[in-house]
Amino acid sequence: MSEEVKKASTHVPKSMLLSLVINGFLAMGMLLAVLFSAQDIQTLLNDATAPTAAFIRIFRTAVGSTAGATIMVSIIILLEFCSAMGCLAAASRMTCP
């Protein structure tokens, strides 16, 4: 995947590490945003009436509606799907001659 990059032996590893660092900071920001949106974490975790994941309950509490929480979760599912397609494309390039 790096045959068109000049000085691929140095630029590709640097870009991979930079991608890891940037995504780490973005994930930390997302974690802080979700935790600050949760008003009472113990109530959200101990809620036995809702069989959903805790982050869905946090989204629903933060936006105040089930439709808004559904849209937010749909965005996460779409991003996960796109990430899986990228991994699949990378793996298929490594396995084919």
Side-chain angles (χ1 to χ4, degrees):
M1 292 169 54
S2 63
E3 49 273 339
E4 289 125 16
V5 178
K6 294 179 182 176
K7 297 182 185 177
S9 62
T10 57
H11 288 151
V12 172
K14 285 180 185 177
S15 66
M16 290 172 68
L17 287 176
L18 185 62
S19 169
L20 182 70
V21 170
I22 290 171
N23 284 321
F25 280 118
L26 291 174
M28 185 63 68
M30 180 67 181
L31 176 66
L32 290 175
V34 168
L35 289 177
F36 278 116
S37 296
Q39 281 103 18
D40 188 10
I41 294 176
Q42 283 302 323
T43 304
L44 290 169
L45 293 176
N46 295 332
D47 188 9
T49 60
T52 59
F55 78 96
I56 297 174
R57 290 189 293 251
I58 291 171
F59 286 169
R60 188 177 36 211
T61 312
V63 295
S65 72
T66 305
T70 304
I71 291 171
M72 292 170 75
V73 171
S74 299
I75 292 170
I76 291 175
I77 291 172
L78 177 68
L79 291 174
E80 288 290 332
F81 178 76
C82 292
S83 175
M85 289 298 111
C87 290
L88 181 67
S92 68
R93 288 186 180 130
M94 288 188 286
T95 55
C96 294

